[in-house]
Amino acid sequence: DKATAWSALRSGTLPASSALSQASAGPFMKLSAVRRLALAGSLSASVALGLQLQHGRDARPFGASVAFAQPRAAGVAMLASPAEGRARLIDGKAIAAAVRRDIKASSDELKAAHGTTPGLAVVLVGNRTDSATYVRMKKKAAAEVGFYSVDRNFDETVTQEQLLATVEELNADPRIHGILVQLPLPRHIDEAAVLESIAVAKDVDGFSAENIGRMCLRGGEPPLALPCTPAGCVELLQRSEIQVAGKEVVVLGRSNIVGMPVAHLLQSMDATVTVCHSRTADLPAQVRRADIVVAAIGRAELVKADWIKPGAVVIDVGVNSKPAPEDKRGYKLCGDVDFDQVSLVAGAITPVPGGVGPMTIAMLLKNTLNLTRHSLGLPRIPLRRQQ
């Protein structure tokens, strides 16, 4: 009955699922009591939100006050205030613009001191709209920071020998410091062979075995370039003044492009990192432990509000689409995180679009700059800051 349920919930012996089940049969406690328990930390923010919704009220202001009242992990910079009602946005567009300004200033210094302009070459095969759009964005960003850029465009019938010859030509060109082969390539092309033909000193994507090995090893020589999206995630955290050292981080996804590299980078920053994947048992429970969540699993809006520790930082790497009849395209972009609901609980969150995406191109430019510095015998500009 109501009295028994109330007593059990207050004592912690009634699970969240049972509390919500009881609530669905009719409110069994006053909203003021729900608020007191939640603010005291005896009731999770997700359960409190559920109970609030059962009363037919707008949960947003209430949910935010609950989430931000939870004890904060020491040292994590919280980027939102309870009055705002939602997590603070980590603005990838604004941060990427700041990164590009820094890169332009460094590039101008190289030109003045050494007479060298960073050079980026992009190899594009076929007429995929998404690839062409991405390449166009890279060219625009390169022009903004004053880089020299070269395009090598081929149709779908290009042979592997032609591509390999093009890469060798770019390897030998002293004006080019970074080479990017836009993926995917046609099925008749051996992608691995083409990528491996790029000189390590011009591996602007940072995916060569040598660069990945240097990134993963403690001590020794640093990599010449880092995988762009993982580096962008780190840059977002650092420029948002979010402490990583000593924090619990959960990375959703174990791809070679994002999941594994970002896990290594965050571990190198003294975080305790758990990598989860499709075979992880009780995925929500794993995520719920995290002070920082990096979602890169490729499933639209998989991560729900009740997976998130109140006040946690959420970096959403996913780019997915979902039906949107109201949009002229018939769809809209979304991440791996249910943004509308998670932003009621999280302390800070990246949007999709406008979060991690702009950072990927910005870090490609930073890699190009560092490879240029390497060609001149100058030290690289590090990603990780001393904490």
Side-chain angles (χ1 to χ4, degrees), residues 10 14 22 29 48 53 65 68 74 91 105 118 120 186 209 226 236 295 324 330 360 364:
R10 183 168 54 185
L14 180 65
Q22 293 268 8
M29 67 176 74
L53 289 169
S65 65
F68 291 109
D91 189 340
L120 174 65
L226 290 165
L236 285 173
T360 298
L364 177 79

Side-chain angles (χ1 to χ4, degrees), residues 6-296:
W6 165 251
S7 176
L9 181 61
R10 183 168 54 185
S11 67
T13 59
L14 180 65
S17 57
S18 298
L20 291 172
S21 176
Q22 293 268 8
S24 66
F28 67 90
M29 67 176 74
K30 294 180 180 179
L31 284 177
S32 59
V34 174
R35 183 185 293 272
R36 282 198 307 272
L37 273 180
L39 293 178
S42 302
L43 184 63
S44 72
S46 56
V47 175
L49 287 170
L51 294 172
Q52 173 81 350
L53 289 169
Q54 292 297 335
H55 282 266
R57 305 289 183 84
D58 182 357
R60 285 175 295 179
F62 176 81
S65 65
V66 169
F68 291 109
Q70 302 296 319
R72 299 175 181 176
V76 174
M78 302 306 297
L79 303 180
S81 65
E84 291 176 325
R86 283 182 179 269
R88 175 75 175 272
L89 286 184
I90 299 176
D91 189 340
K93 288 183 179 179
I95 294 175
V99 171
R100 292 195 302 272
R101 287 193 294 271
D102 292 347
I103 290 169
K104 186 177 189 313
S106 295
S107 177
D108 290 345
E109 289 176 7
L110 279 183
K111 294 175 191 175
H114 302 276
T116 299
T117 299
L120 174 65
V122 178
V123 179
L124 176 64
V125 178
N127 55 5
R128 284 176 57 112
T129 301
D130 55 349
S131 292
T133 299
Y134 192 41
V135 167
R136 187 167 59 251
M137 292 167 63
K138 291 172 182 175
K139 287 179 59 180
K140 181 180 178 183
E144 179 184 336
V145 298
F147 284 8
Y148 169 69
S149 64
V150 170
D151 297 331
R152 293 287 186 268
N153 298 324
F154 299 91
D155 61 32
E156 293 273 351
T157 61
V158 66
T159 66
Q160 183 157 317
E161 289 70 26
Q162 287 175 301
L163 282 183
L164 291 173
T166 297
V167 172
E168 285 306 312
E169 172 197 338
L170 296 171
N171 280 338
D173 188 340
R175 299 170 300 171
I176 299 300
H177 304 97
I179 301 171
L180 172 71
V181 177
Q182 183 66 40
L183 302 180
L185 294 175
R187 291 178 131 186
H188 66 280
I189 301 294
D190 183 345
E191 283 188 357
V194 173
L195 295 178
E196 288 171 6
S197 70
I198 299 172
V200 173
K202 299 190 178 187
D203 171 33
V204 77
D205 262 336
F207 285 133
S208 69
E210 183 172 332
N211 276 325
I212 292 294
R214 287 180 173 184
M215 180 189 70
C216 293
L217 291 175
R218 290 177 59 85
E221 291 294 318
L224 298 180
L226 290 165
C228 299
T229 300
C233 293
V234 170
E235 194 78 33
L236 285 173
L237 291 169
Q238 292 188 139
R239 292 196 181 230
S240 299
E241 298 183 352
I242 294 168
Q243 184 175 328
V244 173
K247 303 306 170 188
E248 289 275 353
V249 176
V250 168
V251 176
L252 293 174
R254 54 180 171 179
S255 73
N256 290 331
I257 296 173
V258 180
M260 296 312 295
V262 80
H264 282 292
L265 287 174
L266 293 171
Q267 189 177 55
S268 75
M269 297 169 69
D270 298 322
T272 300
V273 181
T274 300
V275 177
C276 296
H277 45 79
S278 59
R279 302 299 294 273
T280 298
D282 199 355
L283 193 56
Q286 294 286 346
V287 177
R288 210 170 284 124
R289 297 185 296 104
D291 303 307
I292 300 170
V293 178
V294 180

